Amino acid sequence: MYLDIGNALASVATPGVSRASLDRLDDRVARAHERIVDGIDDREFGYASLALPERTDAAHVEETVAPLADSEAVLTVGIGGSALGAATVSAALGRGAADAHVLDNVDPQGASEVLDALPLEETAVHVVSRSGTTAETLANFLVVREAMTEAGVDWTERTVVTTGEDGPLRALAEEHDLPAFDVPEGVPGRFSVLSSVGLVPAAIQGHDVAGLLAGGRAGREALAPSLYDCPAYGYGAVCYALENRGATTNVLMPYAERLEYFAEWFAQLWAESLGKDGLGQTPVRALGATDQHSQLQLYRAGRHDKVVTLVRPRDRPGRAIPGTDIEGLSYLGGSDLGTLLDAEFEATEASLAAADLPNVRLELDALDAEGVGRLLYDMEVACILAGELMDVSTFTQPAVEWGKRAARGLLGGGDFAEAEAVAGKERLEIE
């Protein structure tokens, strides 16, 4: 991965980071690097995520899902980290041998539309829940199972499970002899993309799972005790420094439609990991060049409380733009859509710098398996490094658990004090 933080320097942007500040911060990065490497080696909770590229067995994943390799579609049933990683990988690598779909919400209309559009007799289903009790995931799976049964499809022949050692989902897998993967030990869901959690759909689609893991291993090998020698650390460090200087929003703006889901994945990773103790940048998702026409006005002329992260592959397929005699458009003829998109990228980068707004450039070699694996791994590293510098509990999510308990109590799934807060809501109704 390639990182350019020049437009985040204080000589260019407000807020910005001086080179002297980065030099001082680099001592802390070196100490954080030692903590991270020790955590990886000892397989500590959370840090174990960065060992996944070497722990995950690509051949085992591919062999287990081989009976479903002729599927026309693959449906991931999960929520949060149990779905976003798989969706990101599938979207980044393209259709492959099967279309990828996700059920990660319990909107009845959305669920019905997804199921109505699927060829259920040719659809592989991957159900993911660490606990096996996640209400949204289990509810959706029950709906999917019923739809398959009503369509005359044996759901047990089309379903793969990833879950913990015990729980209702594990018991179901054992009862029906379903192929089942273990969620990786010591790995929070949002950091689990380079495991069966994120790779099963890609394997069913025929994508290069080994290549994804090789990209992750390249990220591991690139770890070095300086932000100047490690792009992942450089990104995490500059985001930390900019937040301290007022850039409390991080806009992730990929210039490749296949990376649009990556922005969704990044938003969870950054928000759930770093939003602690009154700290944490708010991640915002954008898409270049589309959102140059919808959001860029705010970024250039609004509050200077943002850093914009621009992401693109260096190598992309071309699509020629036909010539035309239309006045004012002839300059486009003979060019290429990729050339135009790159020009849009560089123009946006320059326009942000001209407006003194900090921005960072991230580039991967190509949207292939190794490039995607490296990008995902490096963003996990950047997030963990930022958490170390912020001194927050990167791998927990207590605020999320509060909401889960409240919802479960409302549904009759137990006696939870959090559910009482719903009844006590302050109201000021206007009709």
Side-chain angles (χ1 to χ4, degrees):
M1 188 176 77
Y2 173 83
L3 171 71
D4 182 355
I5 60 174
N7 281 349
L9 294 175
S11 57
V12 176
T14 305
V17 188
S18 70
R19 290 180 183 268
S21 294
L22 287 175
D23 290 343
R24 290 192 295 271
L25 183 58
D26 203 33
D27 291 335
R28 294 182 60 196
V29 171
R31 293 193 294 273
H33 168 74
E34 292 182 8
R35 175 72 185 94
I36 291 169
V37 170
D38 288 345
I40 298 171
D41 291 341
D42 295 340
R43 301 296 192 263
E44 289 185 48
F45 180 77
Y47 301 97
S49 311
L50 300 184
L52 284 177
E54 58 200 61
R55 291 171 58 191
T56 304
D57 186 342
H60 173 63
V61 174
E62 292 170 342
E63 290 167 6
T64 302
V65 304
L68 296 169
D70 61 346
S71 300
E72 292 184 12
V74 56
L75 175 65
T76 297
V77 182
I79 195 166
S82 295
L84 281 172
T88 297
V89 170
S90 293
L93 296 181
R95 183 184 186 279
D99 287 319
H101 303 265
V102 179
L103 272 184
D104 62 348
N105 203 345
V106 286
D107 179 346
Q109 183 172 356
S112 297
E113 289 175 354
V114 168
L115 291 172
D116 290 345
L118 286 173
L120 294 177
E121 68 282 358
E122 301 295 340
T123 296
V125 178
H126 182 215
V127 190
V128 187
S129 170
R130 176 185 297 275
S131 65
T133 62
T134 308
E136 299 91 342
T137 299
L138 272 293
N140 272 331
F141 177 54
L142 292 173
V143 170
V144 171
R145 189 173 71 170
E146 180 181 62
M148 285 186 144
T149 300
E150 290 178 350
V153 179
D154 184 350
W155 64 271
T156 66
E157 298 294 323
R158 311 297 308 170
T159 302
V160 181
V161 167
T162 296
T163 191
E165 293 182 0
D166 50 35
L169 194 54
R170 175 65 66 177
L172 185 74
E174 292 174 351
E175 178 185 352
H176 295 281
D177 196 25
L178 306 177
F181 295 93
D182 298 328
V183 293
E185 185 177 351
V187 178
R190 59 189 176 279
F191 288 92
S192 65
V193 59
L194 294 178
S195 73
S196 59
V197 173
L199 300 180
V200 164
I204 294 172
Q205 291 178 284
H207 290 309
D208 182 7
V209 175
L212 286 158
L213 296 173
R217 288 194 298 274
R220 168 78 186 273
E221 292 165 3
L223 297 183
S226 172
L227 67 89
Y228 297 114
D229 296 327
C230 175
Y233 285 162
Y235 182 69
V238 79
C239 287
Y240 162 78
L242 287 170
E243 180 187 349
N244 282 347
R245 289 158 175 78
T248 55
T249 297
N250 189 339
V251 180
L252 191 85
M253 193 169 187
Y255 275 71
E257 290 201 12
R258 284 188 176 184
L259 288 177
E260 191 169 10
Y261 241 120
F262 165 70
E264 299 267 355
W265 174 85
F266 174 85
Q268 183 196 7
L269 181 75
W270 215 248
E272 198 166 52
S273 300
L274 304 178
K276 317 277 170 62
D277 304 331
L279 302 172
Q281 289 177 323
T282 299
V284 172
R285 295 157 286 186
L287 178 67
T290 301
D291 287 318
Q292 291 174 211
H293 298 268
S294 65
Q295 299 178 24
L296 189 59
Q297 173 67 35
L298 173 66
Y299 304 151
R300 292 199 78 233
R303 293 187 181 93
H304 275 234
D305 59 353
K306 304 168 190 68
V307 55
V308 179
T309 302
L310 302 164
V311 186
R312 72 172 173 182
R314 286 182 159 181
D315 183 36
R316 66 170 93 238
R319 180 82 184 203
I321 302 173
T324 178
D325 294 329
I326 299 175
E327 186 176 354
L329 295 181
S330 58
Y331 73 97
L332 293 172
S335 186
D336 181 275
L337 288 179
T339 302
L340 176 58
L341 190 58
D342 284 336
E344 300 269 16
F345 176 101
E346 291 167 11
T348 300
E349 183 180 54
S351 76
L352 292 168
D356 302 326
L357 192 83
N359 60 94
V360 172
R361 175 191 291 209
L362 285 176
E363 294 179 324
L364 58 159
D365 288 335
L367 272 179
D368 58 13
E370 290 196 24
V372 171
R374 175 68 187 270
L375 178 65
L376 295 170
Y377 189 90
D378 278 9
M379 288 298 96
E380 291 181 351
V381 170
C383 182
I384 293 171
L385 184 277
E388 296 291 329
L389 297 176
M390 294 165 63
D391 194 26
V392 297
S393 181
T394 307
F395 305 114
T396 62
Q397 53 283 332
V400 176
E401 299 304 324
W402 194 101
K404 287 181 179 179
R405 291 190 294 272
R408 191 167 180 180
L410 290 173
L411 292 168
D415 185 14
F416 296 95
E418 290 85 353
E420 297 175 6
V422 177
K425 177 188 178 300
E426 183 75 21
R427 295 183 182 275
L428 176 57
E429 298 180 350
I430 302 171
E431 295 184 3

